[in-house]
Amino acid sequence: MTTAPLTSLQAAIAAEAAAVAGTTGVHVELGPPARPEHGDLATPVAMTLARAAKRNPREIAEALAERLRARPDTAAALEAVEVAGPGFLNLRLAPAWVTDAVRTVAAAGPGFGRGGVARPERILLEFVSTNPTGPIHIGHARGAAYGDSVGRILSFVGHAVTREYYINDHGAQMELFAASVAARYAELVGAEPHMPEGGYPGEYVIGIARALREELGDAYDGRVSPPDAGTLELFGRRGGELMLDVIRGTLERFRVSYDEFFSERTLHQTGRVEAGVRRLVDSGDAYEADGAVWFRTTAYGDEKDRVLVRSGGGTTYLAADVAYHLDKAARMGDRMIDVLGADHHGYIGRLRAVLAAGGFDPDTLEVLIMQLVGLTESGEAKRMSKRAGTIVLLDDLIDDIGVDAARFFLVERSHDTAFELDLDLAREQSQENPVYYVQYAHARCCSILAKAAAEGVTRDPAAGPPQVLDPSERALALRLAEWPRTVADAAERRAPHRVVAYLKDLSRDLHAFYHRCRVVGEAREVQAFRMELTVATRDVVRCGLDLVGVTAPDRM
RNA sequence: GCGCGCGUAGCUCAGUGGAUAGAGCGUUGGCCUCCGGAGCCAAAGGUCGCAGGUUCGAAUCCUGCCGCGCGUGCCA
């Protein structure tokens, strides 16, 4: 990892601030001031220190300013250091510092900001994990775009991430699915269909039935009306596999990748669900009552105990999740992250109880809850029902607006905010979509560099810094310097929308720079600096877009 | 009832203790002899749900209330 330009400046200020206050380990907030006329950077560190030091913040700020002016490296980096307001320190960067910073960014290329995390972790990231009873729809799509982006960002800053999909290929929903496939199969072979109550009416079930018929030939034609147990078992298992293939195809198309697909069915088959329940019973964390086996989750802060084995004999979803999460805990490394839909948030306490009962630190489980995506069409909320087959599929959304726009849209807002996606707007706006704004910034950089190449202009590392900088150059350079902190912040908060917001800001800075400054054909120092600025911007935009799974075309 | 999340510009949303709260879309008015106008510049638009509290400083933290969403299954 390249040392980020702002990091060393920040460290120098922290050292001097500590000296002034007579303490150690001072954290320095260093960022753009609220108003541009206050300079390039500002820090409230003097005010932060004032309380503990019991001194006037302005007095501390003045002393700190003195030291920064006297210290050689900060004196060279800073053109002006001023105390303002209640004790802010406003900094103005010297052109040479700005030039060096941009050179550093450009030299690092698309890897600028990589590996910035202080303590790398091994993280098991689970997301989407829908049961294979139907295709991926808009509700899953947000979790897919979000989870994949978080994975990319965590990896980028230096964590070792394993991405996992938990296949819910067992249970009542799968049985309904198997029966639904059998009913469609019966239709295909001209037999009486037995569609179960609450079965899956979607068209795709016909496709699964057709594929099965092709695999099986006519061997099952007489066993589907009504289906026998063996038929249902096969149709559920094989139908689920075929459905999962469809899901994987959609995810791949959506540029979402996994390291592992973990089947719930195998947990049951290998007896690990039973073993998990037994383990809880043995440790006293589960007990029998009313003919059922209960998990004593109240011992871990839940409001009531939860059933693991029904009085009728079957295990619950939670029982499988006990086995699954104990398995994950054993192999996760340092941490596991579950990305779950909003309708599962009541589940968090139970999952933490699983870990605690298993002897693991429940804080190693992090549950990220996706709020819902609502759809509006023609100004009205679109009613969607999986069972009625009126759901909007991810494949359809991609056909409408493309992968780039869909992914950009879905991670543009914080994951804990419910938002409405207006389908009409999403369709009509495909030309006005913010994704084009950012992609255009990248294409524009490429265009400038193509022009430079055509004119025989190359990068010029030996050129000195320009005498003066245009405000748009300063703004763009500073924005680039902030990238490592932005991406580190996005990783820490699991917040890809911060990357998106940054890219929009960066693009705005680039476009403004473009309109005020020419690159090719300027005086040597100016042209050299602007070439670096253009290269650095191109690479950071490309990198940021890649972190949210969006392409960066050279031409549009 | 209880638990979690959310109330910020007309709309969609950023902003988890710092200065006069921001962006996009929409509205209004300017800018193409140019490395791409899928762009730029400017204007208008706010009791940050309400009321207290914590402190040098609160959209941000605490308490209460109001409103919206989700959850509160021997469903998954």
Side-chain angles (χ1 to χ4, degrees), chain A residues 86-167:
Chain A
F88 287 98
L89 213 52
N90 290 333
L91 313 175
R92 188 169 177 81
L93 294 160
W97 187 93
V98 176
T99 311
D100 284 349
V102 172
R103 275 193 204 291
T104 303
V105 179
F112 180 59
R114 183 184 289 277
V117 70
R119 288 181 314 168
E121 295 183 331
R122 286 165 300 156
I123 300 174
L124 181 52
L125 174 65
E126 181 211 334
F127 60 106
V128 182
S129 298
T130 175
N131 53 5
T133 57
I136 298 262
H137 59 71
I138 184 74
H140 309 128
R142 189 179 190 183
Y146 175 79
D148 181 73
S149 299
V150 167
R152 289 174 189 236
I153 292 167
L154 291 175
S155 299
F156 183 76
V157 301
H159 296 296
V161 179
T162 302
R163 301 136 160 270
E164 187 157 303
Y165 185 117
Y166 179 59
I167 313 161

Side-chain angles (χ1 to χ4, degrees), chain A residues 151-239:
Chain A
R152 289 174 189 236
I153 292 167
L154 291 175
S155 299
F156 183 76
V157 301
H159 296 296
V161 179
T162 302
R163 301 136 160 270
E164 187 157 303
Y165 185 117
Y166 179 59
I167 313 161
N168 291 146
D169 53 358
H170 182 273
Q173 294 305 317
M174 281 309 288
E175 286 166 20
L176 272 177
F177 176 70
S180 303
V181 173
R184 293 301 199 180
Y185 198 104
E187 281 177 0
L188 284 181
V189 300
E192 179 75 16
H194 291 259
M195 182 60 81
E197 190 166 338
Y200 292 87
E203 296 265 325
Y204 63 87
V205 180
I206 299 173
I208 299 296
R210 193 167 287 141
L212 265 181
R213 175 62 167 67
E214 221 157 276
E215 281 188 10
L216 300 171
D218 57 10
Y220 281 78
D221 288 7
R223 296 179 59 179
V224 291
S225 184
D228 59 61
T231 302
L232 284 178
E233 195 282 325
L234 174 66
F235 279 31
R237 177 170 52 77
R238 188 61 194 138

Side-chain angles (χ1 to χ4, degrees), chain A residues 375-391:
Chain A
L375 290 180
T376 53
E377 189 166 36
S378 309
E380 288 179 8
K382 195 177 172 69
R383 301 290 302 172
M384 293 191 293
S385 159
K386 194 169 188 177
R387 292 186 179 178
T390 56
I391 216 89

Side-chain angles (χ1 to χ4, degrees), chain A residues 124 279 322-336 354-356 358-361 364-365:
Chain A
L124 181 52
R279 179 169 166 182
V322 168
Y324 179 49
H325 279 79
L326 289 178
D327 183 275
K328 284 209 290 187
R331 61 191 164 87
M332 67 180 169
D334 302 306
R335 177 188 304 279
M336 72 173 95
V354 170
L355 291 185
F360 298 96
D361 177 1
T364 57
L365 168 68

Side-chain angles (χ1 to χ4, degrees), chain A residues 9 147 178 372:
Chain A
L9 187 57
L372 304 176

Side-chain angles (χ1 to χ4, degrees), chain A residues 7 18 35 41-42 56-57 69 97 115 128 147 154 168 196 223 227 261-262 283 327 363 390 433 470-471 530:
Chain A
T7 307
R35 309 186 67 78
L41 294 169
N56 183 323
R69 290 185 200 111
W97 187 93
V128 182
L154 291 175
N168 291 146
R223 296 179 59 179
F261 284 80
F262 193 105
S283 67
D327 183 275
D363 288 338
T390 56
N433 195 292
D470 186 83
R530 291 179 181 172

